[in-house]
Amino acid sequence: MSRSQDSTPSWPTATAAGTGLREGRVLGRDIKRVDGPAKATGRAGYGHDQRPANLVFAQFLCSTTPNAEFTLDLAPALAVDGVVDAMAVAEGKTVHLGQPIAAVAAVSPQAAAEGVRALAQHGLEVTVLPHAISIEQAMAEGAPAVRRSGNVGRVRSSDEGDVEAGKQEALDAGGVVLTRTYEVPVQHHACLETHGMVVDYSGGEEATIWASVQGTFAMHDGPPEYLELDPSVVHGRVEHMGGGFGSKFGVGVEGRVACQLSKRLGRPVHLFMDRETEFHAAGNRSGNRVTVTAAMAPDGRITAMESDSLRLGGLSGGSYAGLPYVYTVANSKSAMRSVHTHTDGNRAMRAPGHPQASFGMEGILDELAYANGVDPLTARLANLPEDEWNGVWRRQLERVAREIGWYEHEHRTAPGPHEVVGANEVVVGIGFGLSVWGGGGSRGNEVELRVDRDGRVSVAVGTQDLGTGARTLVSAITAEEFGLDTGQVSESIGSTRLGRGNMSGGSVTTASLAPAVKDAAHKMSVVLLAKAAEATGVDVAELAFAEGGRVTGGGVDIAWKDLCSRLAATGETTHGSWVRELQDSGVHGAQAAKVAVDLVTGHVEVLEMVCMQDIGFVLNHLAAKSQVQGAMVQSLSYALFEERLIDADLGLALNPNFESYKLANSTTIPPMKVLFDPEDERGVIGIGEPPAIPGAAAIAGAVHNACGLRLASLPLTPDKVLMGLEELRARG
Amino acid sequence: MSNQRSGDRGLSRRDFLRGGVAVGLGSAAIGAPADAAQDRSDDSTGESGRARRTKGKTEIVLRINGSDRRVEVEPRTSLLSALRDFASPPLTGTKLVCDGGNCGACTVHVDGRPAAACMLLALDAVGHELRTIEGLGTPEEMSPLQQSFCDHDGMMCGFCTPGMIMSLTAELDRNPKANEEQLRAACAGNLCRCGTYPQVFEAALSVAKGGAR
């Protein structure tokens, strides 16, 4: 609750007794999601749920081969009862498995599916061409060209210090040099609401689109041209959306086709991908293979690192944060290339490139540490960057180590046994990982705040809520300013008719949005306190908002309703935009995982995970904790279960469904602890990406610590564990 | 998988017909689903001697959240599609995610037991008491579990939430003092991509312990 004399808005500065973290009356506490009741009762309207009158349902026919030429006859689809339209989406050639070839629109989803089947069976002639699915196929001599520029992208390299001297330094000191290859598979975003939208255009002056996208205003990028309408009459809406994780920045091919069908038919069109299409035509986290040679001195310092990595982004370039990751290595050399395959292009996914790099970095660090007889925590502390963040990571690492029981753990400088000793078929291990991310905001949100004469408060901005709690913070920041509750503020988001909002991606939302809302609220408080001063004759410097929207100070106490009744008939409106000083950038985190490895079955169970993270001022503890835990769950899922499988010889998708593409479920979730760093005094920073980075590497490290088995690839499935243990036993 | 499929319950043709009569449908309405039911076991002519019907629309009455609702469906229409695409007004709280019984997002109650609405034909649901998320509580008057989901932040994007709540409600109805293991088992068939499981367990446990009542 700010005072009018404050020339600039600021976040609450009081400190909570238990945690040492800053808190306000509303902010800095557990704030319940304002759309919780709508979501919990099934009333929240997602794009998938929109049912305008006269709606038709559309579906894609997709390529079942990676590389092919085809001819298409739409007649078989049009002959199906209930089908109202069909159109080609690709022209004569498909270049990736699952590529949309055609779309069929019908009066029911069943008729649309039947139309798609009819096309597949009777309307499609396919000439299968040679394909490249695996790295080996793509890099082979005479491989079919995936992109005109070739199957291997340009090398991006870096070179610092003297790698050979670094290796020699370690060896001279009695250290070790190791070479290892680490691989991570392609992971799917697996948004529960698939990509798609409902386009309601009946040929008139206006169109409405409800899309499942990460940026409301993405609906003005493409659809106006497809519909041949001015953006001002294309109303994009995304009040709720069922998950994006980086894959839903634009309206995509589904947006183009939905608009075109709607325009052709003069009817609203519902086009949401079916689950199988979603798996192969809606993006993914790129896979990666890195070969790394590194040297460590007996004191735990990595003295040299040389890496060669291949990014597997299908038709796109893939992403990889590069080695060394987070840790500082004085002498390092890296080369990075993308290898293209006949699979759909990767898209951003929660900290693009970082979990991949983390898996290799933490992996080689553990291997070098144990080879030197150094414990992995000491080795991590020995390689932290010598910059201002050194102390942050240090205290985070030490804290998560303490929380997870590292200091009492049996196997620290050497891993536990890979043989069953006595009756001990299950061995327990602990692993660690670090993360880094930006999370700062930028200009772009335009917030409008209005207070009416009857005391109603409404705040509006076109931004979207991916489930992060963006909607709630719009309401909560406004409520905090006047001493109100979130229930007394009505917020509107998710519409192109409201003020501009940034896209949500790269953890930029909170640091972009929160300052703009705060700015509008602060400006309003200045206006309202001036009114109070004018009415009471008390110096405005003495007045401030107190609980319930009362204005107190200088011996006066004015109720919110009374204050608002003094406003003009039109009420008061303020506009907020981004304030750099209210946010910051650059976050750091450490995670620890404890696992149990069954030496007989190869089963890995995660027993516990701990995360410590700095994110500046924590606006909403409930939502921030959910966000971090959610990222940890996704990391666990990446570590143990997820892998896109394609038969490289046949070019056949093997697991485009939730039956065989496994996600973590309720039976695999360990207790999770989330700690926010109380020494972080900065403004708000985004939290979406960083906690999604180190979990998988920490789990792999825990398996290593438990039984000496460093699995070189994710996921850590029982078959790999058993084969790895077999090799360890053979080596003796 | 915790979700009871219709097959587990042995929804026989006889049950189905009895159910049809019990809700007092006219003979024409009973006749069409009966034909569809026969298709699964009989050849081109059923016991009644009438021609086999695998296509075409049929008006059925579904008992949803305590009210009878007339819905025009085809024999191939799933209960999920009937709710979302054919009921008027549509009941879209029940979500379509995988359409293959793998994710639990479309969980509804059939005679009090959880079932994946995507794995059940609308015709087979005739005569059964159906409950969807819309029948549990309203935003103004939520069920204890719905309230607890809000209190513990048992949701993020919210797309799995109706299914989660239906699975856990069925468990808590059957076993009001369910422990964490039982609650985890009850929602083992419900996938959440945002990873809200820890908060979901807290929310459900709190109700089992009487916390949110």
Side-chain angles (χ1 to χ4, degrees):
Chain A
M1 288 166 271
S2 70
R3 285 170 170 274
S4 67
Q5 73 266 33
D6 294 346
S7 56
T8 54
S10 60
W11 300 118
T13 51
T15 313
T19 59
L21 292 159
R22 282 166 290 159
E23 65 176 15
R25 224 185 49 84
V26 176
L27 300 176
R29 296 171 182 263
D30 286 344
I31 311 168
K32 286 183 208 170
R33 222 165 264 272
V34 294
D35 50 0
K39 287 180 172 177
T41 58
R43 266 68 167 186
Y46 295 79
H48 211 306
D49 300 335
Q50 304 305 322
R51 296 291 181 275
N54 215 20
L55 182 66
V56 297
F57 296 86
Q59 277 298 318
F60 283 133
L61 166 72
C62 295
S63 166
T64 55
T65 52
N67 189 25
E69 286 174 357
F70 67 87
T71 59
L72 184 66
D73 173 13
L74 297 170
L78 295 168
V80 169
D81 196 20
V83 168
V84 296
D85 199 2
M87 62 179 271
V89 175
E91 284 179 16
K93 175 103 175 72
T94 52
V95 290
H96 76 80
L97 189 59
Q99 183 176 341
I101 293 172
V104 176
V107 295
S108 71
Q110 293 76 23
E114 190 182 340
V116 167
R117 280 195 300 276
L119 268 191
Q121 286 165 11
H122 308 297
L124 186 67
E125 291 278 350
V126 175
T127 307
V128 175
L129 303 173
H131 63 250
I133 291 291
S134 66
I135 293 178
E136 289 68 28
Q137 287 172 337
M139 295 180 82
E141 191 115 351
V146 176
R147 299 218 307 205
R148 242 173 277 156
S149 55
N151 292 354
V152 180
R154 195 169 52 84
V155 179
R156 272 171 47 194
S157 55
S158 72
D159 195 344
E160 278 179 46
D162 183 339
V163 167
E164 289 312 314
K167 285 184 200 169
Q168 201 53 51
E169 180 192 342
L171 291 173
D172 288 347
V176 292
V177 177
L178 292 175
T179 298
R180 292 287 185 268
T181 296
Y182 299 103
E183 234 171 307
V184 291
V186 169
Q187 182 188 25
H188 290 286
H189 297 80
C191 311
L192 291 198
E193 184 181 33
T194 57
H195 286 60
M197 61 212 62
V198 170
V199 177
D200 184 0
Y201 180 57
S202 304
E205 298 290 309
E206 287 190 341
T208 301
I209 303 175
W210 292 267
S212 188
V213 287
Q214 295 182 214
T216 307
F217 292 87
M219 285 180 269
H220 279 176
D221 187 6
E225 291 96 273
Y226 307 143
L227 294 167
E228 295 170 49
L229 292 173
D230 189 81
S232 63
V233 295
V234 176
H235 184 197
R237 299 178 65 177
V238 55
E239 275 93 358
H240 301 281
M241 62 87 74
F245 314 110
S247 67
K248 291 182 178 170
F249 285 118
V251 298
V253 60
E254 61 278 15
R256 171 172 67 84
V257 171
C259 288
Q260 287 171 341
L261 285 170
S262 185
K263 187 168 169 62
R264 283 159 63 131
L265 290 163
R267 295 177 71 166
V269 170
H270 182 287
L271 173 48
F272 277 82
M273 291 183 179
D274 64 13
R275 186 50 59 185
E276 184 167 347
T277 304
E278 177 81 6
F279 268 101
H280 283 277
N284 54 76
R285 182 192 289 289
S286 56
N288 198 82
R289 180 188 289 173
V290 63
T291 297
V292 53
T293 297
M296 183 185 276
D299 61 1
R301 274 182 312 116
I302 301 177
T303 54
M305 179 169 283
E306 201 172 355
S307 67
D308 188 354
S309 62
L310 303 175
R311 302 191 303 262
L312 305 172
L315 292 168
S316 301
S319 53
Y320 193 62
L323 296 185
Y325 178 70
V326 175
Y327 304 95
T328 295
V329 178
N331 308 295
S332 70
K333 230 196 253 189
S334 76
M336 230 193 274
R337 290 169 290 171
S338 50
V339 176
H340 299 294
T341 56
H342 289 110
T343 55
D344 65 327
N346 70 295
R347 298 186 189 175
M349 181 170 179
R350 267 186 125 162
H354 284 237
Q356 295 97 315
S358 164
F359 182 69
M361 183 70 218
E362 305 286 358
I364 193 76
L365 212 160
D366 281 338
E367 299 215 48
L368 289 165
Y370 292 129
N372 268 314
V374 174
D375 84 72
L377 181 65
T378 303
R380 280 169 174 77
L381 295 172
N383 292 288
L384 292 177
E386 290 296 335
D387 59 15
E388 56 182 314
W389 305 113
N390 179 293
V392 177
W393 270 311
R394 179 173 295 274
R395 69 174 177 253
Q396 291 178 345
L397 260 175
E398 288 172 347
R399 179 71 187 273
V400 298
R402 192 162 76 238
E403 293 283 345
I404 206 139
W406 174 253
Y407 298 106
E408 302 84 50
H409 184 56
E410 200 179 344
H411 312 293
R412 298 212 292 278
T413 52
H418 55 261
E419 302 272 12
V420 176
V421 180
N424 295 329
E425 293 175 357
V426 175
V427 288
V428 173
I430 292 172
F432 302 96
L434 294 183
S435 69
V436 67
W437 193 256
S442 63
R443 211 164 284 288
N445 281 286
E446 295 162 13
V447 179
E448 182 172 296
L449 173 59
R450 187 182 156 86
V451 174
D452 281 304
R453 216 175 181 178
D454 61 3
R456 274 180 305 156
V457 183
S458 38
V459 54
V461 53
T463 191
Q464 56 291 321
D465 187 337
L466 278 58
T468 58
R471 178 188 288 273
T472 303
L473 74 81
V474 169
S475 172
I477 291 168
T478 307
E480 171 86 27
E481 194 74 26
F482 311 114
L484 301 172
D485 294 326
T486 53
Q488 293 170 277
V489 176
S490 98
E491 82 296 328
S492 306
I493 67 165
S495 163
T496 54
R497 291 191 175 157
L498 304 176
R500 205 130 187 114
N502 298 48
M503 294 247 193
S504 288
S507 300
V508 304
T509 308
T510 299
S512 301
L513 179 62
V517 179
K518 176 75 184 175
D519 185 42
H522 177 74
K523 284 175 177 160
M524 181 63 78
S525 80
V526 171
V527 171
L528 294 180
L529 291 177
K531 291 265 179 217
E534 190 185 298
T536 58
V538 173
D539 182 359
V540 71
E542 294 190 44
L543 297 174
F545 281 102
E547 188 147 344
R550 283 155 43 230
V551 172
T552 59
V556 303
D557 189 339
I558 312 171
W560 174 256
K561 290 257 177 197
D562 293 340
L563 174 63
C564 296
S565 70
R566 296 171 192 278
L567 298 178
T570 51
E572 277 291 342
T573 301
T574 57
H575 294 91
S577 54
W578 191 61
V579 179
R580 180 184 297 276
E581 292 69 29
L582 288 172
Q583 56 88 58
D584 214 314
S585 182
V587 291
H588 315 81
Q591 288 185 24
K594 184 186 273 182
V595 307
V597 182
D598 189 317
L599 297 174
V600 178
T601 65
H603 179 247
V604 176
E605 182 187 359
V606 181
L607 301 174
E608 192 182 347
M609 290 177 84
V610 182
C611 173
M612 188 168 187
Q613 187 73 47
D614 62 355
I615 60 161
F617 176 49
V618 185
L619 286 163
N620 178 356
H621 278 270
L622 207 50
K625 186 176 154 200
S626 293
Q627 184 84 319
V628 175
Q629 284 182 166
M632 290 159 83
V633 169
Q634 287 187 355
S635 304
L636 181 151
S637 195
Y638 186 46
L640 299 186
F641 305 118
E642 296 184 44
E643 177 175 25
R644 160 146 102 190
L645 295 171
I646 300 172
D647 185 298
D649 292 329
L650 300 174
L652 199 65
L654 297 178
N655 60 347
N657 53 64
F658 284 144
E659 189 175 1
S660 45
Y661 184 92
K662 282 198 73 185
L663 296 180
N665 78 342
S666 67
T667 62
T668 53
I669 308 301
M672 291 180 168
K673 187 166 216 167
V674 178
L675 301 159
F676 293 113
D677 199 326
E679 294 184 44
D680 188 6
E681 292 288 316
R682 296 172 294 163
V684 298
I685 315 178
I687 189 62
E689 337 282 310
I693 297 168
I699 290 168
V703 170
H704 190 176
N705 175 255
C707 62
L709 175 64
R710 188 79 208 184
L711 287 176
S713 69
L714 294 178
L716 312 171
T717 50
D719 59 324
K720 289 187 199 167
V721 173
L722 288 178
M723 282 190 283
L725 288 171
E726 203 55 46
E727 277 174 41
L728 280 183
R729 286 165 192 154
R731 267 190 262 151
Chain B
M1 295 291 285
S2 66
N3 285 356
Q4 299 282 325
R5 304 296 174 228
S6 60
D8 301 343
R9 306 188 58 259
L11 265 189
S12 70
R13 179 168 157 265
R14 204 182 307 128
D15 291 341
F16 167 84
L17 283 174
R18 202 184 312 123
V21 172
V23 293
L25 296 183
S27 59
I30 298 170
D35 286 348
Q38 262 169 238
D39 290 340
R40 281 171 286 149
S41 54
D42 302 338
D43 58 15
S44 61
T45 57
E47 288 162 38
S48 65
R50 275 181 281 181
R52 169 191 178 112
R53 286 248 305 265
T54 57
K55 289 198 113 169
K57 289 178 183 165
T58 304
E59 189 177 86
I60 57 171
V61 173
L62 294 175
R63 183 139 186 96
I64 307 170
N65 302 326
S67 316
D68 287 340
R69 295 181 68 150
R70 291 186 175 273
V71 188
E72 204 175 62
V73 299
E74 295 176 90
R76 63 183 171 180
T77 310
S78 67
L79 174 59
L80 176 60
S81 181
L83 295 171
R84 292 181 57 82
D85 309 324
F86 296 98
S88 180
L91 291 164
T92 54
T94 307
K95 300 301 180 213
L96 185 154
V97 168
C98 76
D99 217 13
N102 304 138
C103 75
C106 66
T107 303
V108 296
H109 294 176
V110 179
D111 299 328
R113 305 180 68 162
C118 71
M119 300 298 280
L120 195 59
L121 292 172
L123 291 175
D124 284 344
V126 172
H128 295 275
E129 284 288 336
L130 306 175
R131 186 153 68 153
T132 69
I133 188 73
E134 288 89 350
L136 224 53
T138 62
E140 295 72 33
E141 202 169 333
M142 289 187 278
S143 76
L145 184 65
Q146 287 172 319
Q147 180 63 56
S148 193
F149 262 64
C150 295
D151 294 346
H152 293 89
D153 209 34
M155 69 195 85
M156 290 185 71
C157 85
F159 218 68
C160 73
T161 310
M164 281 280 184
I165 288 179
M166 293 308 284
S167 292
L168 289 163
T169 296
E171 176 65 15
L172 288 165
D173 283 350
R174 198 179 62 79
N175 183 10
K177 297 200 178 307
N179 62 27
E180 183 172 335
E181 195 185 348
Q182 290 164 329
L183 292 166
R184 281 179 181 240
C187 64
N190 293 82
L191 297 177
C192 168
R193 187 42 153 171
C194 299
T196 60
Y197 300 109
Q199 304 94 282
V200 166
F201 305 152
E202 279 176 30
L205 258 181
S206 161
V207 172
K209 290 176 178 167
R213 284 176 200 279

